[in-house]
């Protein structure tokens, strides 16, 4: 008989099951082990597509999931479930919360006073200094700094929080036992040693594939009261995070940059569209003050000597923050596979004015991560438009 926690992993592993379906079924039936006691007709009656209901009812591959749970203590990680009292309160409020998180580190995620700082991987020196300063001053005032452990802005925000002896969380697009990029291993160790945590909804051992990052970004923004964009080009993952934050009713902030720099065109556009301008940490705190009413924020004393920084490696040539997914053994992309899958999604969208992402996943026969990655690519190419509520249409 599988342990109760295994059923959580099994529910998310069943074909066609995404975060919304997990939430629907758990709210309807309670603990996942009860769901696996139902037949396909009973599961479908809850509003789940019949193919998905059948995949849940017929799921039997519990053994590798048991092994995964047994491995968690060996890497200092734990499973944090949606029904646990210390599940992040901000994250619980979004439309598609992860049913569980893998958390590596001692930090409790129940603190609602989280603020995200994200931006360009190939950041300017000024952008790096600004991210480090914001991370330090927010952490010194008792906020938890959240970012994605990427090169550039993310790394500086984490390090700033560590310099203040504050808490910082890294939300990963890979398993919590996989450090990406590899040169941030010392930074990850410092986050863990400083009482922070590495967080992911992905199974341990999962590599940083491109399809993981759009879904990762909804967790990053969902954990927080607001998201600060320090530097972002016109087409960047940071803008996707900003859009997700708006859909989650989070405050979006942006640091202004020179109009002559391509690194800040995206963040400057956010300011034109209504993001709050940030020149200092007080700009963030004053805007969030109404939400902070009644929530005490402890002020930490910033040490005279900052925490030693890990050595900064030489920056590689700029490339996309998200690594490519479809590659052959020689490293060449396989565009024909992506093209066929994208054509399937476009064909489904032609038959309806607007489709919810869950409907696209179901009708395409592709896994959720692949569909989300392709929708992101098609949106950046101007062929697909996303509407509030995770609805998509042809552009």
């Amino acid at each position: 008989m599988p342990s109760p926690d295994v059923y959580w992993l099994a529910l998310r592993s069943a074909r066609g099951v995404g975060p919304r379906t997990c939430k629907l079924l758990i709210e309807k039936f309670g603990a996942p082990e009860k769901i696996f006691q139902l037949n396909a007709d009973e599961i479908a009656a809850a509003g789940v597509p019949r193919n998905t209901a059948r995949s849940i009812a017929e799921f039997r591959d519990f053994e590798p999931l048991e092994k995964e749970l047994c491995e968690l203590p060996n890497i200092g990680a734990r499973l944090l479930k949606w029904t646990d009292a210390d599940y992040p309160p901000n994250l619980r409020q979004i439309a598609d919360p992860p049913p569980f998180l893998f958390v590596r580190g001692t930090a409790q995620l129940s603190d609602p006073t989280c603020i995200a700082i994200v931006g360009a991987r190939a950041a300017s020196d000024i952008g790096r200094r600004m991210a480090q300063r914001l991370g330090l001053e927010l952490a010194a005032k008792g906020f938890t700094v959240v970012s994605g452990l990427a090169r550039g802005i993310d790394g500086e925000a984490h390090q700033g929080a560590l310099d203040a002896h504050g808490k910082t969380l890294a939300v990963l697009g890979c398993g919590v036992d996989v450090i990406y990029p590899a040169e941030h291993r010392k930074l990850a160790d410092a986050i863990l040693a400083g009482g922070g945590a590495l967080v992911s909804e992905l199974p341990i051992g999962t590599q940083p594939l491109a399809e993981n990052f759009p879904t990762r970004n909804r967790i990053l923004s969902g954990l927080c009261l607001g998201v600060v964009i320090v530097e972002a080009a016109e087409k960047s993952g940071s803008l996707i995070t900003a859009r997700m934050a708006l859909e989650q009713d989070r405050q979006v902030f942006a640091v202004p940059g020179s109009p002559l720099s391509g690194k800040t065109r995206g963040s400057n556009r956010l300011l034109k569209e209504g993001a709050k301008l940030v020149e200092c940490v007080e700009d963030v705190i004053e805007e969030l003050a109404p939400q902070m009413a009644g929530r005490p924020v402890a002020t930490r004393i910033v040490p005279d000597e900052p925490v030693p920084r890990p050595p900064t490696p030489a920056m590689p040539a700029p490339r996309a923050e998200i690594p490519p997914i479809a590659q052959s053994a020689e490293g060449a992309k396989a565009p024909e596979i992506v093209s066929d899958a994208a054509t399937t999604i476009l064909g489904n969208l032609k038959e309806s004015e607007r489709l919810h992402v869950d409907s696209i996943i179901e009708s395409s026969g592709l896994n959720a991560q692949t569909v989300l990655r392709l929708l992101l690519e098609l949106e950046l190419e101007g062929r697909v438009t996303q509407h509030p509520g995770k609805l998509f249409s042809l552009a």
Side-chain angles (χ1 to χ4, degrees):
M1 186 72 176
S3 62
D5 283 354
V6 166
Y7 289 105
W8 286 85
L9 303 189
L11 183 60
R12 189 66 178 89
S13 301
R15 184 176 179 82
V17 177
R20 286 175 183 264
T21 300
C22 283
K23 181 180 178 183
L24 171 68
L25 291 173
I26 291 169
E27 289 179 338
K28 176 72 174 178
F29 299 111
E33 57 261 39
K34 296 180 180 179
I35 299 170
F36 284 93
Q37 295 171 5
L38 305 173
N39 60 42
D41 290 337
E42 292 171 319
I43 297 172
V48 176
R50 183 157 296 277
N51 288 343
T52 301
R54 189 178 300 112
S55 71
I56 297 172
E58 296 175 355
F59 189 90
R60 296 293 182 272
D61 199 16
F62 296 105
E63 185 176 351
L65 303 180
E66 287 275 19
K67 292 180 179 178
E68 184 175 2
L69 282 178
C70 292
E71 183 63 23
L72 292 181
N74 297 333
I75 60 172
R78 67 188 188 277
L79 187 72
L80 180 61
K81 305 181 294 294
W82 187 61
T83 52
D84 291 340
D86 55 344
Y87 187 92
N90 293 336
L91 194 59
R92 195 189 298 276
Q93 298 169 4
I94 70 173
D96 50 354
F100 54 81
L101 293 168
F102 295 101
V103 182
R104 182 181 173 193
T106 59
Q108 295 298 313
L109 274 62
S110 55
D111 178 11
T113 58
C114 296
I115 297 178
I117 302 174
V118 296
R121 185 185 67 84
S124 68
D125 289 341
I126 292 176
R128 286 171 173 271
R129 291 201 299 271
M130 186 64 178
Q132 191 272 344
R133 172 182 163 188
L134 287 172
L136 185 146
E137 294 184 358
L138 284 169
K141 292 181 181 296
F143 291 91
T144 296
V145 175
V146 180
S147 199
L149 201 67
R151 300 181 182 98
I153 298 302
D154 290 22
E156 295 296 334
H158 288 304
Q159 185 62 54
L162 293 173
D163 290 346
H165 287 184
K167 186 170 76 173
T168 181
L169 306 177
V171 184
L172 309 182
C174 51
V176 292
D177 58 331
V178 178
I179 304 303
Y180 175 80
E183 62 261 31
H184 276 180
R185 185 170 301 279
K186 289 185 178 180
L187 177 59
D189 290 343
I191 290 172
L192 296 175
L198 310 182
V199 180
S200 177
E201 67 177 332
L202 299 168
I204 59 175
T206 301
Q207 296 302 304
L209 303 177
E211 61 191 36
N212 299 338
F213 286 84
T215 52
R216 181 281 302 264
N217 290 348
R218 89 186 193 286
I219 299 175
L220 199 156
S221 57
L223 282 167
C224 301
L225 297 172
V227 176
V228 183
I229 310 296
V230 177
E231 284 186 344
E234 286 186 291
K235 294 182 178 181
S236 72
S238 299
L239 297 186
I240 302 298
T241 305
R243 188 191 65 211
M244 290 180 173
L246 291 172
E247 291 181 359
Q248 296 165 347
D249 197 26
R250 304 299 192 256
Q251 183 63 63
V252 175
F253 303 87
V255 176
S258 169
L260 301 179
S261 171
K263 296 179 185 295
T264 57
R265 285 177 186 163
S267 41
N268 285 348
R269 178 160 62 82
L270 287 175
L271 291 170
K272 291 180 181 179
E273 295 173 352
K276 301 300 180 181
L277 186 147
V278 174
E279 293 179 319
C280 60
V281 71
E282 285 75 19
D283 294 331
V284 178
I285 296 173
E286 289 174 6
E287 186 64 32
L288 295 176
Q291 300 180 54
M292 299 300 301
R295 294 176 178 174
V297 177
T299 299
R300 295 186 175 91
I301 299 175
V302 181
D304 294 332
E305 293 295 330
V307 176
R309 301 169 65 91
T312 302
M315 283 295 295
R319 57 187 177 94
E321 177 180 334
I322 302 175
I325 174 175
Q327 293 191 349
S328 66
E330 291 77 19
K333 291 185 179 180
E336 67 282 355
I337 298 176
V338 175
S339 176
D340 289 344
T343 300
T344 299
I345 290 175
L346 292 171
N348 291 333
L349 290 173
K350 286 180 182 178
E351 299 175 3
S352 178
E353 183 178 351
R354 293 184 181 184
L355 276 179
H356 190 272
V357 65
D358 287 351
S359 298
I360 300 173
I361 293 169
E362 176 68 23
S363 59
S364 68
L366 303 168
N367 64 55
Q369 288 80 9
T370 298
V371 170
L372 289 167
R373 189 254 308 172
L374 290 171
L375 285 171
L376 173 61
E377 292 177 359
L378 292 169
E379 184 178 2
L380 293 177
E381 292 172 6
R383 302 173 70 183
V384 166
T385 298
Q386 181 173 178
H387 307 276
K390 303 292 184 183
L391 295 172
F392 291 84
S393 68
L394 294 179

